[in-house]
Amino acid sequence: MSGASKDDNHAVMSDPVLRRDAESFLKGVLLGNSARVLKNAEGMDAEAAAKPENAKTGESSAGGNSGKQGQPASVSESLSLDGLSELASRIERATGKRIRSYREIQEDYQRTLRDDIARMENERYRKKLESLMQNCEISDYWEFSNMDDDNNPAYRKLIEFCLNWVQDFRKAETEGMVMSDSRGMKYRFTPGTLLWLYGNFGVGKSMLAGAIAHKLMREYLVQVEFRQWHTIYTRLQMLRDNEKDYYNYLEMLQTVQLLVIDEIAVDNTKLSDAQMRDLGMILRSRKNNGKNTIIISNANPEVIPRLIGDFCWESIKNYSLIFPYEVPGRNRRVNSLGTYTISG
């Protein structure tokens, strides 16, 4: 009788028979045993009718034991649909409100529960995604949908490879990859792959890696750390005096599901000995932990060994499966700042 007015409620409550029947019916719905309660209510009618005779004989009717005068010999377990329907009709006539069936109430409850669970899941997803995004130095614009392939077949092929790499990401970090050579021979590689993107300024290396990171976080909730190498190294230097924080940060770099290191040996600048050691240690540990890694550099494979040093280069070679891809195309950055045009 949800939503009934005070007058409607009074109309029911002022009639002792309707009140008792309504209470019995509602208790039956709540307890999931309408049949037993309805029969008990019918027994109460019989008990009320027997009270005057009990008063004459001095017999007590409070015991409720089977066989006493005014008590039913047994309670039927079968549901009287006609009786239940009549009871519902009497309540509806008294209140002017329709009584919803148990199935309707159950379906409404389940629908509400599903909606509540969906809202909670969406909120949990939103908070998780926000937390993941905090660890990335990437633009919101860096999405595959915003990639400009410039009608370049090589660029389109690279984008297709990156989408497949995203799809196979979890397999690459758990089972390893199975690749075939030109003769059709299949080889299984241990977990942990390295995607190496290199090329000229402005061709879209960071944007491509950012699109990979966005897709992995948004669709698979993969933990991603996307930083420029200078940012990583500077923080390591700042934390060296705090041993606990230093090793916690270092462990995160070595174990996060995807680490993207941008601007390695930027503008063909050679790393310092300390940088070579730290970068090599991070890359080697990640491979040993079976974690996928992306490195980005302007330097091509011919000069990168000299710029990063032997130890770091050997750490890269430690990956059993390396995908070195040159990002082709023109410099996509604007050539003007206001009215000033940049030559070249």
Side-chain angles (χ1 to χ4, degrees):
M1 296 188 297
S2 176
S5 66
K6 292 183 178 179
D7 292 338
D8 293 335
N9 290 332
H10 180 72
V12 176
M13 294 301 105
S14 61
D15 186 329
V17 177
L18 276 178
R19 182 177 65 235
R20 185 185 66 246
D21 289 348
E23 290 175 349
S24 299
F25 174 78
L26 294 176
K27 287 179 181 178
V29 171
L30 292 174
L31 296 175
N33 197 3
S34 299
R36 182 186 296 276
V37 175
L38 183 59
K39 288 299 181 182
N40 285 340
E42 293 172 352
M44 290 168 63
D45 288 338
E47 180 183 351
K51 278 184 178 180
E53 184 176 349
N54 290 343
K56 290 180 181 180
T57 59
E59 293 179 359
S60 172
S61 60
N65 294 327
S66 177
K68 287 190 177 182
Q69 188 175 6
Q71 296 294 327
S74 64
V75 178
S76 173
E77 296 295 332
S78 64
L79 176 63
S80 173
L81 295 179
D82 292 338
L84 188 59
S85 177
E86 174 60 23
L87 175 59
S89 298
R90 292 168 66 187
I91 296 175
E92 287 178 342
R93 287 195 299 270
T95 62
K97 304 291 183 180
R98 177 179 172 275
I99 295 178
R100 301 166 65 201
S101 69
Y102 174 74
R103 180 179 294 276
E104 290 175 317
I105 295 173
Q106 185 181 45
E107 290 176 350
D108 185 55
Y109 172 78
Q110 291 176 343
R111 183 166 52 252
T112 302
L113 182 61
R114 287 194 298 268
D115 292 343
D116 288 342
I117 292 175
R119 280 193 294 271
M120 288 187 291
E121 286 296 315
N122 288 336
E123 181 64 14
R124 185 188 70 84
Y125 169 80
R126 185 187 64 81
K127 290 182 178 179
K128 177 67 174 178
L129 190 59
E130 286 181 354
S131 175
L132 293 173
M133 292 293 188
Q134 291 176 357
N135 300 323
C136 298
E137 296 177 333
I138 57 178
S139 168
D140 293 338
Y141 184 75
W142 291 354
E143 300 279 2
F144 281 109
S145 58
N146 295 324
M147 299 293 296
D148 177 16
D149 62 21
D150 224 11
N151 293 321
N152 187 327
Y155 205 100
R156 285 198 297 268
K157 184 177 180 181
L158 176 56
I159 292 175
E160 182 180 353
F161 169 83
C162 291
L163 287 170
N164 290 332
W165 194 78
V166 169
Q167 186 175 348
D168 294 335
F169 183 87
R170 293 203 182 276
K171 180 184 291 186
E173 72 171 352
T174 55
E175 305 174 19
M177 299 289 289
V178 177
M179 305 290 289
S180 300
D181 62 15
S182 58
R183 298 170 297 173
M185 297 291 293
K186 292 185 176 181
Y187 300 91
R188 178 174 294 278
F189 296 88
T190 56
T193 62
L194 179 71
L195 176 57
W196 176 7
L197 301 176
Y198 65 94
N200 294 325
F201 290 106
V203 294
K205 302 182 299 298
S206 299
M207 184 175 182
L208 187 55
I212 292 173
H214 270 137
K215 194 171 182 66
L216 284 171
M217 288 187 290
R218 186 174 293 111
E219 297 185 12
Y220 304 100
L221 292 179
V222 168
Q223 294 175 319
V224 179
E225 184 80 9
F226 191 124
R227 303 290 183 189
Q228 295 187 15
W229 170 242
H230 176 75
T231 302
I232 294 174
Y233 181 70
T234 300
R235 185 169 183 184
L236 286 171
Q237 290 294 98
M238 292 174 59
L239 295 176
R240 288 192 188 277
D241 292 335
N242 188 325
E243 184 174 334
K244 180 180 179 181
D245 290 344
Y246 173 81
Y247 282 106
N248 284 342
Y249 182 59
L250 186 61
E251 182 181 16
M252 183 278 295
L253 294 172
Q254 295 169 346
T255 58
V256 67
Q257 284 182 279
L258 174 63
L259 177 63
V260 183
I261 309 177
D262 199 359
E263 304 290 7
I264 294 177
V266 61
D267 201 18
N268 290 333
T269 302
K270 187 176 181 178
L271 302 185
S272 67
D273 290 344
Q275 287 181 314
M276 294 177 183
R277 180 184 63 250
D278 287 351
L279 179 58
M281 179 173 54
I282 292 169
L283 292 175
R284 185 163 301 212
S285 296
R286 288 190 61 78
K287 174 55 186 176
N288 292 341
N289 290 325
K291 300 301 180 181
N292 299 321
T293 307
I294 299 176
I295 60 174
I296 308 169
S297 178
N298 301 121
N300 59 47
E302 286 72 29
V303 301
I304 196 71
R306 175 178 59 82
L307 300 177
I308 63 177
D310 292 340
F311 176 67
C312 192
W313 178 241
E314 291 298 320
S315 298
I316 290 177
K317 290 164 59 179
N318 187 47
Y319 281 82
S320 56
L321 197 53
I322 307 173
F323 299 105
Y325 273 94
E326 180 178 11
V327 181
R330 57 182 174 81
N331 189 330
R332 291 170 171 79
R333 296 189 178 120
V334 296
N335 288 326
S336 63
L337 296 176
T339 59
Y340 178 74
T341 301
I342 304 173
S343 61

